[in-house]
């Protein structure tokens, strides 16, 4: 119920009556939606109420990405909320563009305008292009709602028809979802990655947003590949052109910590030491675990597992640290007995290289007591292993 699916249902939201409804629905409780709709329909057209309720629901979802101040002024489509760039990531990327001296950007496949907004707020003029009429109109409404119309021009067009030569940089965010969900083949993006790369090669600078799982061999030789995480979750990868060809970079938000690859060989495998470090997902995706291991004077617990072990606790921005108290072969009965003996009631279960699900562990061991522990299910030198410990200071 309440989905804005075309221009005819979206346009009334911009009228004074639509604005009044959106203001009234700002903090509505979705559990009370039916009653709210019934009440509002007494004084407003049913179609407008339906559209306003749907928009209010999307705004509530968008708060996580854009923050309340922007989200409750902006407009969204269901795909727009799902696929738009998180504001923190867009702001970071716009900052990189600004530092490169970019003053104008052709934002191709602009969606509802999240990246265009970040670029404009960095003082960069933007041509935002999307071929879907509703999406383009939503982006235009967002530029107006946030007072950025002088810096953002929205054009409804096919990106392949756009002449990008007048712009300092190109940003391309191809659609990576289809009717069956996520698209993993870069050539199945819309437009395909190969087209985006060609567009990037024609510009002084370019950034192509791609899925974090992009194979390293699919990265063009002249591109810098950057993996970005926010709050520990990997959000995206970006292929930069006109920066550092061949570089591999991991960037961790909100701190902005950045790690650049130095082409180190894989770390050696060694016995589990007193501390275990779990590298940030962006570090792992960028294949920079070796750089972290060198910083920590550590090694791997298994040649196929991205856990670094070391004897000392060394502060690092690129990994979470755990002090390990026990190393046991995988055995649920032994784990249950040990946790009962130590009166562990708060149990965090993490896994890497194990088929066992954390919820299954919690359900079977039934933790109870005043103490806390972390169990890491993994492999050590090829053998299924349980590492038990607790978070240590000095991690990220």
């Amino acid at each position: 119920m309440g989905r804005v699916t075309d221009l005819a249902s979206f346009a009334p939201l911009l009228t004074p009556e639509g604005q009044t409804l959106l203001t009234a629905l700002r903090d509505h409780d979705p559990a009370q939606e039916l009653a709210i709709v019934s009440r509002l329909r007494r004084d407003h057209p049913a179609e407008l109420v339906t559209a306003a309720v749907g928009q209010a629901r999307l705004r509530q979802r968008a708060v996580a990405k854009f923050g309340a101040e922007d989200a409750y002024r902006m407009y969204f489509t269901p795909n727009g909320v799902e696929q738009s760039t998180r504001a923190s990531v867009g702001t970071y990327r716009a900052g990189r563009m600004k530092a490169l001296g970019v003053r104008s950007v052709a934002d191709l496949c602009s969606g509802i305008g999240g990246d265009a907004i970040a670029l404009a707020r960095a003082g960069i003029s933007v041509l935002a292009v999307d071929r879907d009429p509703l999406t383009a109109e939503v982006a235009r409404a967002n530029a107006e709602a946030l007072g950025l119309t002088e810096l953002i021009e929205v054009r409804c067009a096919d990106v392949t028809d756009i002449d990008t030569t007048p712009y300092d940089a190109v940003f391309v965010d191809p659609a990576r979802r289809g009717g069956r969900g996520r698209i993993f083949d870069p050539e199945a993006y819309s437009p395909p990655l190969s087209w985006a790369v060609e567009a990037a090669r024609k510009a002084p600078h370019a950034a192509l947003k791609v899925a974090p799982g992009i194979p390293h061999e699919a990265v063009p030789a002249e591109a810098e590949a950057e993996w970005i995480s926010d709050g520990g979750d990997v959000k995206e990868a970006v292929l930069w052109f006109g920066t550092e060809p061949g570089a591999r970079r991991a960037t961790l938000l909100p701190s902005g910590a950045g790690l650049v690859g130095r082409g180190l060989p894989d770390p050696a495998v060694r016995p589990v030491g007193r501390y275990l470090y779990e590298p940030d997902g962006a570090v792992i995706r960028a294949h920079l675990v070796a750089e972290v291991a060198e910083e920590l004077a550590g090694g791997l617990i298994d040649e196929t597992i991205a856990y670094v072990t070391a004897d000392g606790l060394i502060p690092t921005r690129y990994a979470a640290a755990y002090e390990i108290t026990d190393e046991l072969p995988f055995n649920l009965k032994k784990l249950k007995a040990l946790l009962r003996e130590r009166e562990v009631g708060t149990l965090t279960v993490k896994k890497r290289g194990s088929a066992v699900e954390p919820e299954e562990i919690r359900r079977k061991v039934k933790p109870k007591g005043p103490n806390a522990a972390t169990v890491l299910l993994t492999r050590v030198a090829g053998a299924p292993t349980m590492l038990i410990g607790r978070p240590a200071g000095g991690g990220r």
Side-chain angles (χ1 to χ4, degrees), residues 21-28 56 59-60 68-69 72-73:
L21 279 171
L22 288 173
T23 299
L25 287 163
R26 172 179 167 130
D27 299 313
H28 84 286
R59 284 178 165 183
Q60 288 183 347
E69 184 176 351
Y72 285 114
R73 292 189 289 165

Side-chain angles (χ1 to χ4, degrees), residues 135-151:
T135 302
E137 189 59 33
V138 170
R140 191 173 287 112
N142 285 335
E144 185 170 342
L146 299 179
L148 297 170
T149 53
E150 290 187 4
L151 285 169

Side-chain angles (χ1 to χ4, degrees), residues 63-88:
V63 168
K65 279 191 173 182
F66 291 92
E69 184 176 351
D70 281 351
Y72 285 114
R73 292 189 289 165
M74 292 173 65
Y75 301 90
F76 301 94
T77 64
N79 285 341
V81 172
E82 183 72 28
Q83 299 177 22
S84 58
T85 300
R86 182 178 290 263
S88 56

Side-chain angles (χ1 to χ4, degrees), residues 1 32 36 118:
M1 179 179 95
Q32 304 297 320
I36 293 170

Side-chain angles (χ1 to χ4, degrees), residues 34-58:
L34 288 176
I36 293 170
V37 168
S38 297
R39 175 173 54 81
L40 292 175
R41 282 181 175 176
R42 296 173 195 158
D43 302 309
H44 304 280
E47 295 82 2
L48 179 56
V49 171
T50 297
V53 169
Q55 190 60 224
R57 192 187 306 141
L58 292 174

